[in-house]
Amino acid sequence: MPERPPPEMVTITIDGREVEVPQGEYIIKVAEDLGTYIPRFCYHPRMTPVGLCRMCLVEVETPRGRLLTTACNTPVAPEMIVDTESAVVQKAQEGILEFLLINHPLDCPVCDKGGECPLQDQTVAYGPGESRFVEEKRHFEKPIPLSDIVLMDRERCILCARCTRFSEEVSGDPLIEFVGRGNQTHVITFPDEPFASYFSGNTVEICPVGALTAKPYRFKARPWDLEAIESVSMVDASGASISIETSQNEVVRINGIDNDATNHGWLSDKDRFIFQAVNSENRLTAPLVRDDAGNLQPTSWGEALDRVADALGSVRGDEVASIGGANNTNEEAFALGKFLRSVVMTPHIDVQVGDALNPDFLVGITPRAEIRDLDRAATILVWAGDLKEEFPTLYLRVRRAVTQMGAKLVVVHPRRTGLDDLAAAKITYRPGEGPEVVRKLAAGADADYAAARELLTAGSVTALIGLTGRAEDPRLAEVVAAYALDLPGAKVLPLARRGNVFGGLDMGLAPTLLPGRVPVTSESGRAELESAWGPLPDAVGRDAAAILAGLAEGEVKVLLLVGADPVRDGRNPDSARAALAAADFVVSFDMFLNDSNQHAAVVLPVDGFAETEGTVTNVEGRVQKAYRSMTWDRLVWGPERDGVVMPDGPGIQELQYTPDGGGVRSTAGRLALHSGRVLYDAGTRNVQSPALAALVPDPAVYLHPRDASALALTDSQVVDVTGEFGAVRLPVRIDATLAEGSAYVPANLESTWMLGVPDVVTIEASSAEEVAE
Amino acid sequence: MSAASVIADWSAPNQERARRLLETYPEERSAVMPLLYLASLEHGYLTSAGMTQVAQLTGLTSAQVQSVASFYTMFKRDHVGRYLISVCTSISCYLLGADDVLAAVETETTARDGTTSVDGAFTVEHVECIGACGGAPAVQVNYELVEGVLPEKATALCKWLRETSPDVVMTDAMQKSFGGVRSFDWGIGEEQGAVAPVPAFGPYGSTGGESAR
Ligand code: SF4
Ligand code: FES
Ligand code: FES
């Protein structure tokens, strides 16, 4: 891959100091790197400068004499002479602040931004001290809701365009814009088109005044009362850096932290507001055990733990199994894995609940991409779930790579995804026909795929590969990866969604892996671990699906559910429920009751996100520290680590893929289910966060217009969707972006989970009488 | 959605104009302003639905289109009378009695500055300099310019509009009957006029050219 040449350096003079700086860099950035802070409002390092607020004026010597110019959008040039604190500059700064405050309401004592407000702070530091303005300020009705989450107090706005630029440039959904002119200008949505963006919370964070506020934090706390700690978002596995802010031992806000490797400071609204679940009234606080009448009753820890110990002691080690652990830190996962393997002596451990991706593929594939590779890629291949729904901050990185770094994008998916508008080539295929698509791409014969093929063979490729939907055969990801690795300069980022699933795999929470990505089947690897841990089971364990099957057959008797809900997240809700019922004993570690642990013998409440401390590993293998913001427990930590842990050598084990896709489940001739995930699904944490619960979409089944007309169905008609595991009644939505021959049912909405995840479904109109009931 | 289906409810000539406008620019979004005039012509003023249609035609969001539309006073986002009377009150016209002209127009049309008459015939507004300072005081009817319009001429102009309710208004014709001193001789007369309170530039599709001829 051609490395970018280092930037040319130029010599300039800033405040009398001669310095070498990279050509083309803006004065404001150069000065900041040299330790000189130039005040600013509209400038944001992650967005294109616009020179709107004029706060960053500096004096620059020109052939026409010394002139005031904006430092945020003036690039340095050879022999430039810049003065950032001359008397003229100071007068300009005072003038700009006096001007900005003409219409700004000075309601700081009741404003949420007061105490952390750039306008307040810079007025103190650079302002004139008093204003000559005695006239009436502008007034607006306040606040107006821009969406269910974001509110706008227009009179506070200083028209810096940070929020509007963010929504256009970064998140690509410009639903807010300036309207009006002169002193009537303000930021607003189009009537009846709310600011329904997955990323709306970022505008609140970057607004340099208190004009934009978010409901979950509005009037909740004052900045000086907040304690902030750095942590990692566990909403998905992208490893977004966050600052968790608490007041009186309660999380009140989450902000983004600019991490160059991951999220650039941006968060999805789910990352930002999911903390409400931590504060939920419905959290479990005491251990629950099942009484003789079959009801869960609160009890003491001693009693609950005795029951668990008795159950574990009453069966053979390999009759015990564990599902889950992706919401835990690496240290917790390590402790759990060590306990299960060396004390209980069971190999039946799986951190993945429903995805069933090959652990060797997830942690072992090489060359493995970092998120940063997106910025250098000539072509990006996304053959995975809709990133906007499943990996929102990673979606922003792909978006940036395409819109600003010049990468070309190829998207392969059964339906429209959030990235399609940016894609130079898009392939829509029926779930089940993925291997066929790979074959055609590789063979290069098919004219339909010529555009995609050309892009994929043109230059260095970074491929993001995962499951496009839950009904997709997990082995397809390996087939795709095998194809992608043959492309020029290819690097693959395998995607699995759950918070710390990669950390769980690294810590050995997989049927095939010991801690440190050592295969269970490696004699030497196991021997080394046994020298520390004592004897270990040597068999390859059962994965989540096989564990449930083992429960039903009586071969597995005791089950640990570690923050897992296999009824909702597995393929077949009924058989998962039956398996749990067949178990001798189920113990669940969870923050909430769910469809699975309602039937457990013992439910142990656990610490949640923000309450535990440890390390978390993201999709790249990057290990980051998550600090604890609240005190709920006492756990002992492993040593702090940072950096990306890359697999060494050619992967830990040959991937068991068949490049021709043989063995991947086929759905030929029937309506294939596309079970794609949505960001705001009816998962427990969403439902327990009031700000997000309101955003869960209504369930529906989406059909291609031709399939709908073949079945004589119309939009909004109510139908019965039936698969091998269950049925659900849903309204039809006609969707021309969906592959013909498939039915899209968003995963895990209020009713759709009851369908399970069959490969194929049949669809029949519900009879009118039944619908009426 | 295809452009045609977005504006399927527009008149055939306006659909055709929209199609031509979209072809004119290498980037569809560049056509946003002329399309806003067309939408105004189609609906009588710039409705929310019209802005959304223009957004769909240009690949912008409705919020972005609204931002453009709200910046310019010539995009009317509320009902406009059949004739929009714009009285210049900038400095030259002001010095030559624009206030009296405006008062005369208000009296004759029964519409106060910034409002529409009850019968829907007139909207009256005062505007900044319309570039006819040499012919002050200047007035526009549906953006067609008349110069040297003293108060009594203004009254007569409005009366004529009400009584004859012309389908097309044209600068040269109105100048002859109701105008006075002109800034200068504008040369060859224009053949096109305005059929609605939308500027009468053929290429921008609003009116004139075709229907006046
Ligand atoms: S609302 Fe805030 S971020 Fe948006 S333009 Fe106004 S001051 Fe800037
Ligand atoms: S920061 Fe430079 S103009 Fe706003
Ligand atoms: S001042 Fe009236 S036209 Fe210029």
Side-chain angles (χ1 to χ4, degrees):
Chain A
M1 183 191 333
E3 281 299 318
R4 257 157 231 236
E8 224 164 282
M9 302 299 276
V10 296
T11 307
I12 68 166
T13 310
I14 289 194
D15 297 335
R17 245 169 96 195
E18 206 167 274
V19 284
E20 282 242 302
V21 296
Q23 168 130 37
E25 197 70 89
Y26 296 114
I27 297 174
I28 201 168
K29 170 80 170 46
V30 163
E32 188 163 327
D33 291 346
L34 293 168
T36 302
Y37 182 85
I38 298 174
R40 79 284 301 262
F41 295 110
C42 65
Y43 172 77
H44 187 285
R46 293 289 182 191
M47 297 192 288
T48 316
V50 283
L52 262 179
C53 71
R54 320 308 285 179
M55 191 60 220
C56 64
L57 290 170
V58 293
E59 267 196 298
V60 173
E61 273 187 35
T62 75
R64 287 184 294 147
R66 288 165 70 90
L67 292 183
L68 281 172
T69 186
T70 43
C72 71
N73 60 351
T74 307
V76 293
E79 277 151 65
M80 191 179 241
I81 299 174
V82 182
D83 197 333
T84 70
E85 44 201 19
S86 66
V88 174
V89 169
Q90 284 175 27
K91 183 135 190 278
Q93 290 168 341
E94 289 185 1
I96 293 295
L97 279 165
E98 188 180 4
F99 178 70
L100 287 175
L101 291 173
I102 280 179
N103 271 318
H104 190 80
L106 304 188
D107 57 348
C108 313
V110 297
C111 175
D112 276 323
K113 204 79 174 188
E116 56 177 10
C117 174
L119 182 57
Q120 198 178 40
D121 295 349
Q122 296 188 135
T123 299
V124 173
Y126 307 94
E130 56 191 274
S131 170
R132 288 163 289 179
F133 187 78
V134 294
E135 290 79 4
E136 177 98 1
K137 293 178 187 249
R138 66 179 188 165
H139 295 284
F140 286 106
E141 180 199 328
K142 63 178 284 164
I144 50 168
L146 297 184
S147 71
D148 288 338
I149 295 181
V150 178
L151 300 169
M152 166 62 113
D153 290 287
R154 287 168 290 180
E155 73 288 348
R156 290 182 186 151
C157 171
I158 58 166
L159 306 176
C160 71
R162 276 184 166 197
C163 56
T164 53
R165 259 181 302 155
F166 171 84
S167 64
E168 175 167 16
E169 199 175 300
V170 182
S171 65
D173 42 15
L175 298 167
I176 47 171
E177 246 309 344
F178 287 138
V179 301
R181 176 147 53 128
N183 71 349
Q184 283 307 308
T185 314
H186 56 277
V187 173
I188 202 153
T189 61
F190 195 68
D192 303 325
E193 275 184 32
F195 185 28
S197 164
Y198 282 176
F199 304 97
S200 64
N202 293 299
T203 62
V204 174
E205 184 175 339
I206 60 176
C207 178
V209 296
L212 293 167
T213 48
K215 261 190 210 160
Y217 176 72
R218 195 173 159 89
F219 302 138
K220 281 280 157 53
R222 308 309 328 246
W224 50 87
D225 289 334
L226 296 181
E227 277 181 61
I229 52 99
E230 191 170 336
S231 189
V232 183
S233 178
M234 298 268 264
V235 160
D236 59 46
S238 62
S241 289
I242 54 174
S243 135
I244 303 181
E245 307 185 2
T246 56
S247 171
Q248 302 174 22
N249 208 28
E250 181 174 325
V251 180
V252 293
R253 180 169 75 174
I254 287 178
N255 273 339
I257 293 178
D258 192 333
N259 182 338
D260 193 58
T262 57
N263 60 326
H264 284 181
W266 312 126
L267 297 179
S268 73
D269 288 357
K270 188 167 174 180
D271 293 301
R272 195 178 290 276
F273 301 121
I274 197 92
F275 71 82
Q276 289 184 317
V278 175
N279 304 335
S280 166
E281 302 262 294
N282 300 328
R283 270 188 72 176
L284 299 173
T285 51
L288 303 175
V289 297
R290 199 159 294 281
D291 65 12
D292 297 335
N295 298 319
L296 284 173
Q297 299 293 354
T299 185
S300 68
W301 278 95
E303 147 112 37
L305 292 175
D306 279 351
R307 287 215 198 180
V308 177
D310 287 349
L312 288 173
S314 65
V315 293
R316 284 201 322 272
D318 65 356
E319 291 172 333
V320 178
S322 164
I323 298 178
N327 292 328
N328 295 88
T329 62
N330 290 334
E331 292 70 16
E332 291 165 341
F334 180 83
L336 175 68
K338 181 175 179 186
F339 171 72
L340 289 166
R341 282 191 205 276
S342 71
V343 180
V344 178
M345 297 287 284
T346 178
H348 308 311
I349 307 168
D350 196 352
V351 67
Q352 297 187 78
V353 185
D355 291 344
L357 285 157
N358 178 356
D360 296 347
F361 160 68
L362 290 177
V363 301
I365 196 158
T366 45
R368 190 189 187 86
E370 286 185 48
I371 292 174
R372 261 191 288 230
D373 286 320
L374 292 169
D375 296 349
R376 300 182 279 253
T379 304
I380 298 171
L381 168 66
V382 179
W383 189 330
D386 187 342
L387 296 189
K388 194 170 179 180
E389 308 289 341
E390 297 194 9
F391 277 93
T393 50
L394 189 56
Y395 160 82
L396 293 185
R397 287 298 297 255
V398 174
R399 205 176 175 279
R400 174 173 181 271
V402 176
T403 57
Q404 285 170 47
M405 318 300 285
K408 294 276 186 277
L409 176 66
V410 177
V411 177
V412 189
H413 195 87
R415 184 174 176 260
R416 206 196 119 75
T417 74
L419 282 169
D420 282 18
D421 286 344
L422 303 172
K426 166 73 191 287
I427 295 172
T428 304
Y429 73 100
R430 264 182 92 241
E433 290 173 3
E436 188 61 17
V437 176
V438 175
R439 205 157 26 238
K440 285 184 188 168
L441 276 173
D446 201 298
D448 283 359
Y449 296 170
R453 222 185 109 74
E454 193 169 315
L455 293 165
L456 290 171
T457 47
S460 59
V461 174
T462 297
L464 275 50
I465 299 173
L467 293 179
T468 58
R470 297 200 309 150
E472 192 86 78
D473 190 320
R475 283 164 296 185
L476 176 64
E478 292 159 64
V479 175
V480 174
Y483 161 72
L485 284 177
D486 282 341
L487 297 170
K491 290 185 175 183
V492 170
L493 192 61
L495 299 183
R497 189 188 55 119
R498 278 170 216 279
N500 193 29
V501 64
F502 287 90
L505 294 171
D506 281 356
M507 297 302 132
L509 297 187
T512 53
L513 291 178
L514 299 175
R517 302 174 183 170
V518 174
V520 171
T521 48
S522 153
E523 291 291 338
S524 58
R526 206 177 57 250
E528 201 181 326
L529 193 61
E530 282 181 334
S531 68
W533 282 7
L536 299 171
D538 58 1
V540 168
R542 294 165 179 267
D543 67 7
I547 289 170
L548 293 176
L551 284 168
E553 290 155 12
E555 285 167 22
V556 178
K557 299 196 164 121
V558 174
L559 176 66
L560 282 69
L561 289 176
V562 187
D565 183 355
V567 172
R568 281 276 179 125
D569 291 325
R571 275 172 62 82
N572 184 343
D574 285 342
S575 76
R577 221 183 263 118
L580 294 174
D584 287 1
F585 188 89
V586 176
V587 53
S588 162
F589 304 82
D590 217 303
M591 292 166 69
F592 298 98
L593 282 181
N594 60 35
D595 287 312
S596 298
N597 64 13
Q598 282 181 24
H599 310 288
V602 174
V603 182
L604 299 174
V606 295
D607 279 336
F609 159 72
E611 294 161 341
T612 53
E613 184 165 321
T615 59
V616 174
T617 305
N618 82 343
V619 65
E620 312 161 278
R622 183 177 305 282
V623 181
Q624 302 182 96
K625 181 99 191 235
Y627 290 89
R628 173 173 43 188
S629 67
M630 294 155 60
T631 44
W632 228 53
D633 86 329
R634 297 143 225 98
L635 208 87
V636 185
W637 313 121
E640 181 168 348
R641 290 198 286 158
D642 200 5
V644 180
V645 184
M646 282 292 177
D648 26 285
I652 48 173
Q653 185 176 317
E654 277 294 292
L655 292 176
Q656 293 301 311
Y657 61 80
T658 40
D660 66 351
V664 173
R665 292 193 302 267
S666 161
T667 55
R670 292 164 293 170
L671 220 46
L673 175 67
H674 171 47
S675 174
R677 293 181 187 277
V678 294
L679 186 65
Y680 303 128
D681 64 12
T684 318
R685 287 181 302 170
N686 273 341
V687 170
Q688 295 297 341
S689 302
L692 303 179
L695 303 173
V696 177
D698 290 333
V701 54
Y702 295 70
L703 296 174
H704 189 276
R706 274 192 285 274
D707 292 322
S709 65
L711 292 163
L713 297 172
T714 53
D715 201 78
S716 335
Q717 188 170 349
V718 177
V719 294
D720 290 317
V721 182
T722 313
E724 79 182 282
F725 310 128
V728 57
R729 180 161 293 179
L730 297 169
V732 171
R733 299 258 177 286
I734 306 291
D735 179 1
T737 74
L738 184 64
E740 230 181 305
S742 51
Y744 166 50
V745 179
N748 200 16
L749 295 184
E750 207 27 64
S751 57
T752 59
W753 63 273
M754 289 186 266
L755 181 64
V757 193
D759 292 342
V760 294
V761 291
T762 55
I763 293 184
E764 278 166 13
S766 312
S767 66
E769 308 90 283
E770 286 177 80
V771 176
E773 339 173 309
Chain B
M1 224 180 309
S2 76
S5 69
V6 168
I7 50 171
D9 62 339
W10 286 17
S11 72
N14 283 345
Q15 287 193 39
E16 173 56 19
R17 289 178 179 129
R19 196 188 58 71
R20 283 209 313 261
L21 281 170
L22 286 166
E23 273 174 5
T24 305
Y25 301 90
E27 301 261 357
E28 280 167 345
R29 59 190 283 159
S30 308
V32 63
M33 298 200 8
L35 284 173
L36 285 171
Y37 280 136
L38 262 189
S40 309
L41 180 67
E42 180 64 35
H43 297 126
Y45 66 99
L46 193 51
T47 60
S48 289
M51 284 189 268
T52 300
Q53 284 171 324
V54 171
Q56 286 166 346
L57 291 176
T58 52
L60 297 166
T61 62
S62 304
Q64 289 175 308
V65 170
Q66 171 182 249
S67 180
V68 174
S70 65
F71 187 83
Y72 299 99
T73 54
M74 281 167 71
F75 295 127
K76 303 294 180 196
R77 290 181 299 141
D78 208 341
H79 291 274
V80 191
R82 177 150 190 216
Y83 304 107
L84 171 67
I85 316 283
S86 312
V87 179
C88 173
T89 52
S90 281
I91 188 74
S92 299
C93 297
Y94 174 78
L95 291 173
L96 288 164
D99 282 352
D100 297 335
V101 178
L102 181 58
V105 169
E106 288 181 327
T107 307
E108 185 56 37
T109 59
T110 72
R112 302 284 311 267
D113 183 13
T115 67
T116 300
S117 62
V118 180
D119 61 5
F122 297 101
T123 295
V124 174
E125 63 176 4
H126 74 275
V127 294
E128 299 307 324
C129 180
I130 47 182
C133 319
V139 166
Q140 284 176 329
V141 179
N142 289 350
Y143 302 115
E144 290 289 289
L145 181 65
V146 197
E147 293 168 272
V149 187
L150 296 170
E152 55 279 15
K153 298 264 183 132
T155 304
L157 171 60
C158 297
K159 198 173 267 159
W160 170 75
L161 286 169
R162 187 178 31 250
E163 283 166 5
T164 62
S165 68
D167 288 337
V168 179
V169 290
M170 247 190 278
T171 284
D172 290 356
M174 288 189 291
Q175 182 70 34
K176 229 172 266 156
S177 313
F178 308 103
V181 181
R182 301 186 88 175
S183 345
F184 57 86
D185 185 357
W186 295 86
I188 305 163
E190 281 181 38
E191 289 228 337
Q192 56 185 29
V195 294
V198 175
F201 299 121
Y204 300 127
S206 65
T207 74
E210 306 97 332
S211 47
R213 248 174 241 134

